[in-house]
Amino acid sequence: MFRTALRNVLAHKARLLMTVLAVMLGVAFVSGTLVFTDTLGNALRNQSAKSYDDVAVAVTTYADQRDDKTSGITDATLKKIQGLDGVANATGRVSGFAGVADPDGKLIGNGWSNTGGNYSPGKDGKDSAYTFVDGTGPAAADRIALDKETAKRGEYHVGDRVRVATNGPVKEYTLSGVFTTEDGAVNAGGSLVLFDPEVAQKLYLKPGVFRDVNLTAAPGVSAEKLLAEVKPLLPKDAEAQTGKALADDQAELIEKGLSGLNGMLLAFAGIALFVGVFLIANTFTMLVAQRTKELALMRAVGASRRQVKRSVLLEAAVVGLIASVVGFALGLGLAIGLRSAMGMFGGKIPAGPLIVSPTAVVAAFAVGVLITLLAAWLPARRAAKIPPVAAMSSVHATATVKSLVVRNSIGAVLTLLGGAAIVAGASKSGSAGRTVIAVGAFLTLIGVIVLIPLLSRPVIALVRPMLKRLFGVSGKLAAQNAVRNPRRTGATASALAIGLTLVTGISVLGVTLGQAVDRMTTDNIKADYMVTMASGGSLDESTLTALRKADGVSAVSAQQASSLQVKGEYYSVSGVAPGDVQKLFTLPTVSGSLDALEKGEIAVDEKTAKSNGWKTGDTLPVTFDDEKKGEVKVGAVFKGNEMLSPVLIPKDIADAHGSRADIREIWLKTDGGASDANEQALVKALGDNPAMSIKDRQDIRDMFGGSVNLAMNIMYGLLAMALIIAVLGVINTLAMSVFERQQEIGMLRAIGLDRRRVKRMIRLEAVVISLFGAVVGVALGMFLGWAIGQTLSSDIPGYTLVLPWDRIAVFLVLAGLVGVLASLWPARSAAKLNMLTAIKTE
């Protein structure tokens, strides 16, 4: 039976090609994902471990410029640590944001990974964390050193003047040296600027204080012994651990960070393989139908049902194994491609070998073979039931019309249960509702897949008259052929339906959220510009002062983060400029007046006031950020604004109770609105600071909506694999159909159907099947998009369902195009059939 199975595989190479491609693509996705994440994780872990090679003990604090409660490591404490017998060297570290301008004044790097730190030479005059390739470390207040990649991108050489921005005004420094480093920020596409230790302390913390300390042990001293000696010298807010323990913690964090990426990519690989199941099942179903006589003869000469079933499953195993081998090789190429792509997009992956773990190999081959066997099991079971008497037939046995009552009943029950679960989930909010929807979506998809053969007849019957009118005999025959074998049509359409369900659902959700975000920015903002740090960090008070003096500015307010504690509960607070805030944001009042802010009173949004029973005129006992207690009066209740916190207080009150202003954004209105002249005036006022981001209203809308569009595009790209497999399914079905109908096509040619109309018939059949699957998928996708959107509506003000009819129309057109493209080869094969040879074909 094994030889028979192998012979059948070799005899049907062309017919099994699409199955091999489907499994191959799915396996490539799985193996590529596992190899890529293993390689990335190994490289990052090695990089992390390398950065702690010389660190016996690491001391970490949470010292912050804005928080007087955290002390950090003082110079005096550092000297005590350095004086311990077991310490070979102890280096204090402090870090923060530092952006370098290129020759055109633009920021080098991506903002969030642009960092600055201190150069701390040891007794040998070198800092072991950095290897200089040119020049030396900064030894004076006006000197800096740059990492090699940043110096290259900025075309800087030792001795050049370099403009560097922190969170204050831009300053110029002389470049003293260029170095290489294993710093993660640099490898992520950012930059690293090294300052003299005293300069770094003033910039990022306070004079004479470090945030962290790294210790190197003297020869013969264990890290554990050194850790025990260091702990008594540290302040209460400091944590100390061995370098190995810290490296292990970093490795665990890297593992957790990559698990999300790994899970997402594997989920889409699973979708692609699920779609591939229909193609595989279809292929083996048709192969069994075409080999009815052969299988019946095997039964007649003594083969048992088990042997016939085993023969078909062996064919599937061979196909799965071949596809897995090719798919795994393709997956390795995909992993290498993903690694290169990250480099092209600015993400530098540390050097390291390609990691092919046993897990990746076993998973790839197990998935490929098991999925193929699973998909072939039902066709194999049907093959085993073929009676020996079928061998008496002189032609391929036609499929028996088995009652679909049981199948349709099961499908209807699953669809109703799934639909009910989706509706129930939509009535809930948050993740609980989405979990119920996910279960309902799975049941509904399975139910619809089961029902698709039943649905195909009435749906295709609706378009049959139109096909006949437009395309004559070719159209009529195409419609009849599409429903001749409902199971085959259903299986082919199901693959497209699954892909388009997901694509349409993502589109409905993405467009709806995008427009909700767009309305949120449009409706809530009156300001012409928003100024932020490129790093996402806090702006310096000097920035606000400079913008107030800029030409053409008519209103300006910071959005200063703060908090108030009322009866033990904390509330987020925005420190704003009284009088100007109303000009910059849409803040309709429910009661009171926002002019009360100028009197030192507060304003509370309607939702917060209602939940706490606060009213205009109430006096609230509060605890400020500096733990001082006081009372504030509610001067106004306003309708919530997503750009501001639920509580507004005058900025001078926030300043009075904070050690340092935490200004996240500065909002401005200018004379004449946004214009090139006004923007240039702001740039000039900020001193051509490359670290400052100036966004007009359109930029703000793009910023909030951009993440939604990016997520949608990533989803589209990942789902493309499933759609490619669905296209292969259409090609496979048509090719098999043409092979089965050789005699029929020959007869049609003999009675006058020319080659052009034969091609048209096959093309129309493909388009009908594709559009049928697309319509089902689009309908399900819209339903799921609506349901998931309902669970988010309570968190998004002004949420309104938007059906992207333009995109849906594009999906349907593309589905039709898929049908046309998929039919090119089968239609050409059908038209080239010799009519006399075809008529004689059994």
Side-chain angles (χ1 to χ4, degrees), residues 25 62 275 299 455 469 747 755:
L25 290 172
Y62 299 96
V275 172
R299 290 293 315 282
L455 296 173
R469 278 198 305 270
M747 290 294 294
R755 289 184 176 181

Side-chain angles (χ1 to χ4, degrees), residues 174-191:
T174 299
L175 183 62
S176 66
V178 177
F179 58 88
T180 59
T181 177
E182 292 296 325
D183 188 279
V186 175
N187 283 314
S191 61

Side-chain angles (χ1 to χ4, degrees), residues 1 104 118 141 271 300 441 527 536 566 583 585 673-674 687 694 751 821 839:
M1 297 306 291
D104 297 325
N118 59 293
I271 292 168
V566 183
K583 301 174 185 176
F585 300 96
I694 302 172
I751 62 174
L821 294 176
I839 289 170

Side-chain angles (χ1 to χ4, degrees), residues 173-205:
Y173 299 85
T174 299
L175 183 62
S176 66
V178 177
F179 58 88
T180 59
T181 177
E182 292 296 325
D183 188 279
V186 175
N187 283 314
S191 61
L192 178 59
V193 182
L194 295 181
F195 299 93
D196 175 77
E198 291 184 5
V199 173
Q201 287 175 328
K202 290 176 184 177
L203 284 172
Y204 300 126
L205 205 51

